[in-house]
Amino acid sequence: MDDERARAPSKDRTTEAERLAILEVLTDVLAPPLAAGPRAGQILQRICTGLVAASPAIGFAYYVVLDEHAHELRPEFSAGVGAPDMRITRGQAALLWVIARERRARLYRADDPLMPAWLQSGQDASDVVLFPFGAPSAQGIGVVGAREPGFFARVGLESFSAFTSLGDLALTLRALALRDPLTGLPNRALFLDRLIHACAHARRLERLLGVALLDLDGFKLVNDRDGHAAGDAFLQRVGRVIQSSLRPGDTLARIGGDEFALLFADISCLSDLEVLCERLLKVLREAGLAPSAAPGLAITGSLGVTVFPLDDSDADTLMRHADLALYAAKAGGRDQYRVHSVEFEEAAHRGLEIREMVRVALGENRMILYYQPIVRIDGPVVGAEALLRLCDEERGLLAPEAFAGVLDCGALACALGRHVLETAAAHAERWMVSGLRTPEGLPLRVSINVSAAYLLDPSFLGDIRATLARHPGLAVSALEIEITESAPLRDLGNVHQTLRACLALGLRVALDDFGTGSASLTYLQKLPAHTLKIDQSFVRGMAHDAKDYAIVSAVAHAGHLLGLEIVAEGVETDRHLEILRGLGGLCVQGYAIARPMPADDLPRWCRMYERRRGAHS
Ligand code: C2E
Ligand code: MG
Ligand code: MG
């Protein structure tokens, strides 16, 4: 118990030799340069092996790293008799936590009645010393057992203090490797380790374990608007907010930029898990997580969860399933959670099939463009929107709904975007050269939809320039790109720059599906644009829903004040037209005017429309 007894070592030669041998272990361990040399764990192992070899009086040496999440502790690095088989239960480990807190070594002599039974059992030692070591984020205990009674008193505990310091160093290094430096939360490696243990525990106790991935909705805005330092502080705050809503046994890790992983341990039924997920999202919603430059814009979270052992998979697969559920939560409109199910997996599988279908169709020239006219209300044709269609041998013409997943997905999105750009430019040039004009004598405007993936791709501007160069007969101002909120949500700064470059080339820019996202007005203020396209959901609803009408009229009004052209989309009926007439000066697009049609039909339709209009006026 008291280390006073160890403070007066005798000075005979053997003792000196032993001290030297012990210190030599230290110099051996440190001999290879640390940076290129052993990893932290290897250092601890070499200390143990070295100590046992240094003196026949030392029976065993081991390190126990304390972990509040572990259900029992085992020596992680050990040498000598009995140590490797050691098991320390949570109850027994309480003593180790006390020693770690006190940060003082404890010496037990062979006949010490206070020596814990688990320290004696099966071990060939009489005196045992427990050395606390560690950093604030992680702590451990070094245990050294001597065969010879009074050994530590003779040699002196000071000889071992260097091992404690090395333990500190090694554990700090290890903690650094397992922690996210920004938030101090476990990183992916530690999370996976905890996940494996938590699965074993859940199986043993027949409990459920929720494995979740959380992604912040719209976090990029914070970085874009407030800078990276603010983004970092924001993530730290999010970490604290989430942590405060968890139960003590749960784990929160940061595994990517704005991606967190969670373990909900000891769940007894699915509805308990649902309550936890709801609570977490509510806490995020209510934490007032708004970027400072956009106080009205809240940052929320999307959560994908899978449940072990209902989902009886290994750690990697559990993570993949949680990711699929997260994807579904995002696609479902964000600020919500989804629990993984077999259907997700089937959907992911279908996604692969669809990608393949589009890739093949693109290669075989079966991705074609239909055009839907846009007219000034009660006025002339101003342009047409190019809309993708896939010609499928069996199913006929497929609208984007059948392949929406690939429109904004990686390399294929860029290939599709390039194809649409080139095809639409060729059509527009052909119409221009053939003399097709609006009644005002302007070239017919052609609008193309540009996905976020393509707009943000480094190749985008180069492709635009090359396309314009290939089609000299095309009036640049007749080409309009339509973008949705998803691009600026991903990278506002980049989108802003790209759109400016497009404007400098003479292209027009339209903000599509306006009003559906949470930040539309913010983008209106930030992004250069010529046209606003009011989303069809509001247009469709405005005949019977006063709120939809209010939104349409407010957007129309704001757009007029800003000098933008306003296009109401999804104008299906005469009633819609009648209401929109009251808002003055709008353009309209929808079935009430014309359905999307093949490129070759558009010139004829335009002539017919103008003839009919002439006849009416
Ligand atoms: P969007 O850009 O908002 O296009 C308008 C959609 O509304 C088109 O659907 C059009 O056919 C449909 N629509 C037009 N008038 C009416 C109407 O009166 N009633 C109803 N119910 N619908 C109407 P479509 O062609 O199925 O395209 C859907 C979405 O797919 C487009 O929405 C656009 O986001 C995307 N998309 C289409 N073509 C492309 C493309 O070439 N590239 C990319 N990235 N996305 C595209
Ligand atoms: Mg569009
Ligand atoms: Mg739209």
Side-chain angles (χ1 to χ4, degrees):
M1 269 296 282
D2 70 6
D3 35 273
E4 296 300 320
R5 282 172 287 191
R7 294 249 167 93
S10 62
K11 287 205 165 83
D12 63 49
R13 287 175 140 230
T14 12
T15 305
E16 277 310 318
E18 278 177 307
R19 274 192 208 133
L20 262 179
I22 291 166
L23 288 174
E24 263 169 27
V25 177
L26 182 63
T27 47
D28 277 358
V29 167
L30 289 179
L34 256 184
R39 295 175 38 201
Q42 287 172 322
I43 295 178
L44 297 186
Q45 181 56 50
R46 286 167 68 162
I47 292 172
C48 296
T49 316
L51 276 180
V52 171
S55 165
I58 297 180
F60 62 81
Y62 57 82
Y63 280 100
V64 181
V65 177
L66 299 180
D67 177 359
E68 59 192 301
H69 291 272
H71 302 283
E72 68 177 18
L73 299 177
R74 301 183 57 178
E76 290 197 35
F77 312 101
S78 64
V81 188
D85 308 323
M86 194 76 189
R87 292 269 197 289
I88 306 164
T89 63
R90 219 188 251 266
Q92 292 166 339
L95 171 72
L96 302 184
W97 282 102
V98 172
I99 296 174
R101 250 195 316 277
E102 290 175 357
R103 292 204 60 83
R104 272 181 64 203
R106 278 211 198 183
L107 168 66
Y108 291 104
R109 283 203 311 225
D111 52 359
D112 196 329
L114 291 175
M115 163 121 65
W118 60 268
L119 258 181
Q120 307 161 348
S121 58
Q123 301 191 29
D124 178 23
S126 53
D127 294 6
V128 182
V129 192
L130 306 181
F131 298 99
F133 67 94
S137 55
Q139 295 180 314
I141 301 286
V143 184
V144 184
R147 292 195 173 97
E148 172 200 314
F151 172 78
F152 294 109
R154 184 164 63 75
V155 176
L157 287 187
E158 290 82 0
S159 310
F160 294 88
S161 66
F163 299 105
T164 312
S165 309
L166 265 186
D168 291 350
L169 175 69
L171 215 53
T172 305
L173 286 177
R174 194 165 97 150
L176 283 179
L178 293 176
R179 296 267 160 187
D180 162 45
L182 179 66
T183 56
L185 294 171
N187 63 11
R188 183 185 286 271
L190 182 53
F191 181 82
L192 285 176
D193 191 54
R194 294 236 177 114
L195 171 58
I196 290 165
H197 285 107
C199 285
H201 185 62
R203 207 188 282 286
R204 223 173 19 245
L205 298 190
E206 298 185 352
R207 306 286 277 181
L208 300 177
L209 170 74
V211 182
L213 289 177
L214 176 111
D215 194 275
L216 298 179
D217 305 321
F219 169 69
K220 267 216 105 350
L221 264 184
V222 182
N223 266 345
D224 286 347
R225 293 167 158 271
D226 299 351
H228 283 271
D232 285 356
F234 185 86
L235 287 171
Q236 288 168 333
R237 196 164 146 234
V238 168
R240 286 195 299 273
V241 165
I242 302 174
Q243 189 84 67
S244 68
S245 80
L246 299 180
R247 304 160 307 156
D250 296 341
T251 290
L252 169 67
R254 177 169 173 247
I255 60 168
D258 61 346
E259 204 174 5
F260 294 84
L262 298 111
L263 292 178
F264 298 110
D266 279 342
I267 306 274
S268 50
C269 62
L270 273 180
S271 57
D272 284 358
L273 181 68
E274 286 169 1
V275 170
L276 290 176
C277 292
E278 293 279 12
R279 192 174 71 198
L280 179 58
L281 294 179
K282 184 160 175 270
V283 164
L284 279 173
R285 218 174 288 137
E286 290 176 353
L289 296 168
S292 66
L297 179 70
I299 302 280
T300 52
S302 296
L303 199 58
V305 195
T306 192
V307 188
F308 180 87
L310 301 179
D311 178 357
D312 198 354
S313 310
D314 63 19
D316 284 344
T317 313
L318 288 171
M319 294 292 273
R320 197 168 53 74
H321 288 170
D323 200 33
L324 283 176
L326 172 62
Y327 184 81
K330 289 261 180 201
R334 304 159 168 217
D335 188 19
Q336 56 189 270
Y337 73 92
R338 291 290 169 90
V339 180
H340 172 75
S341 65
V342 181
E343 289 91 74
F344 285 152
E345 230 168 338
E346 282 167 359
H349 189 67
R350 265 200 313 279
L352 281 179
E353 285 177 353
I354 289 173
R355 209 169 302 172
E356 188 55 16
M357 170 179 82
V358 171
R359 201 183 57 75
V360 172
L362 188 62
E364 294 177 353
N365 231 354
R366 288 189 286 109
M367 298 302 295
I368 62 162
L369 289 181
Y370 264 39
Y371 288 87
Q372 186 176 34
I374 300 171
V375 304
R376 203 167 295 288
I377 200 161
D378 300 326
V381 179
V382 291
E385 176 175 7
L387 295 162
L388 256 181
R389 298 290 180 264
L390 186 152
C391 307
D392 187 84
E393 276 173 15
E394 284 164 21
R395 294 189 286 166
L397 211 56
L398 304 182
E401 194 188 5
F403 51 87
V406 302
L407 280 175
D408 198 13
C409 187
L412 192 49
C414 292
L416 270 179
R418 226 163 269 141
H419 171 71
V420 168
L421 175 62
E422 171 57 30
T423 313
H427 284 144
E429 184 183 40
R430 196 193 322 152
W431 291 328
M432 175 94 186
V433 171
S434 72
L436 184 65
R437 296 279 189 284
T438 70
E440 289 137 338
L442 297 170
L444 191 74
R445 186 189 307 156
V446 170
S447 308
I448 60 171
N449 293 282
V450 177
S451 65
Y454 189 38
L455 187 74
L456 290 170
D457 194 79
S459 67
F460 178 71
L461 281 175
D463 287 352
I464 293 270
R465 287 194 190 95
T467 306
L468 293 178
R470 263 196 305 274
H471 301 284
L474 163 76
V476 183
S477 61
L479 199 59
E480 182 169 71
I481 58 170
E482 293 190 5
I483 67 155
T484 61
E485 186 178 295
S486 59
L489 254 183
R490 272 186 228 174
D491 190 342
L492 182 62
N494 193 342
V495 168
H496 190 263
Q497 248 180 350
T498 307
L499 293 188
R500 283 242 155 263
C502 289
L503 254 59
L505 287 170
L507 252 58
R508 289 178 62 96
V509 172
L511 301 181
D512 201 358
D513 302 343
F514 193 80
T516 49
S518 54
S520 293
L521 281 175
T522 315
Y523 295 133
L524 190 55
Q525 178 213 4
K526 287 274 165 198
L527 296 176
H530 300 87
T531 306
L532 268 194
K533 301 191 77 174
I534 306 175
D535 190 67
Q536 41 183 292
S537 57
F538 303 116
V539 175
R540 212 172 299 142
M542 92 198 150
H544 52 266
D545 186 333
K547 284 188 188 145
D548 282 345
Y549 174 76
I551 290 173
V552 173
S553 87
V555 171
H557 189 61
H560 283 141
L561 286 178
L562 291 167
L564 298 171
E565 183 165 291
I566 313 293
V567 178
E569 291 187 292
V571 179
E572 285 187 354
T573 62
D574 288 345
R575 175 81 185 118
H576 290 155
L577 281 171
E578 197 183 310
I579 298 172
L580 293 168
R581 240 173 235 126
L583 297 175
L586 258 57
C587 292
V588 287
Q589 175 185 357
Y591 297 168
I593 309 298
R595 293 196 171 240
M597 62 189 77
D600 288 345
D601 293 356
L602 188 70
R604 195 162 9 106
W605 184 91
C606 289
R607 284 193 293 273
M608 185 214 52
Y609 179 80
E610 289 306 333
R611 259 200 318 275
R612 233 180 24 205
R613 213 166 59 83
H616 280 116
S617 56

